[in-house]
Amino acid sequence: SALAEGGAGNKYVPLDRYGGNLEKIVAEIRRQVGPSTNILIATPPPTTRTQERTNHNTSLYAAQALRTASSLSLPAADLYTPLASAPDYEKYFRDGLHLSPLGNDAVYQQVVSAIEANFKW
């Protein structure tokens, strides 16, 4: 979710290419591991404002990840919405981008919930 302008230009991936990249990753996993492999698409978590990213921009990439998962009939772990909707979501980050221990725990809970809801053990 890096911005095209600013210090992260070399990390920037246009939104449509991001969705296409997710599709290519899924196709490669299926090719190498098998078509019935369980795959879970995870959205990026929110960010706080940094020189390279904005939370609004991150929300666009989260929505694209959800659309891509839906178009591929795959389950998704929405890491963006529950964290971003917390009133003081900055507590989930060490520096606005990298997760704090509390943020790691929140992400873990979302991923485990998505796995339990979508895959049989």
Side-chain angles (χ1 to χ4, degrees):
S1 65
L3 299 171
E5 65 281 347
N10 63 338
K11 299 175 189 173
Y12 173 72
V13 176
L15 196 56
D16 59 336
R17 188 178 308 159
Y18 172 74
N21 288 347
L22 288 175
E23 291 173 358
K24 288 177 186 176
I25 290 167
V26 168
E28 186 63 18
I29 291 169
R30 287 179 169 160
R31 186 185 72 75
Q32 290 194 24
V33 183
S36 62
T37 300
N38 291 331
I39 299 173
L40 178 73
I41 301 267
T43 71
T47 60
T48 59
R49 175 78 173 143
T50 68
Q51 182 179 6
E52 300 176 350
R53 291 170 174 80
T54 65
N55 198 36
H56 171 71
N57 200 50
T58 303
S59 74
L60 300 176
Y61 284 80
Q64 180 64 49
L66 293 174
R67 282 191 301 275
T68 301
S70 178
S71 75
L72 296 174
S73 299
L74 292 173
D78 184 357
L79 307 179
Y80 180 86
T81 305
L83 274 68
S85 62
D88 54 349
Y89 80 93
E90 292 86 3
K91 68 184 177 189
Y92 294 120
F93 299 93
R94 289 188 336 232
D95 58 7
L97 178 61
H98 300 99
L99 295 168
S100 68
L102 188 61
N104 282 317
D105 185 58
V107 165
Y108 169 81
Q109 294 300 325
Q110 292 300 315
V111 171
V112 168
S113 292
I115 290 169
E116 290 175 343
N118 292 287
F119 303 118
K120 302 250 186 225
W121 297 91

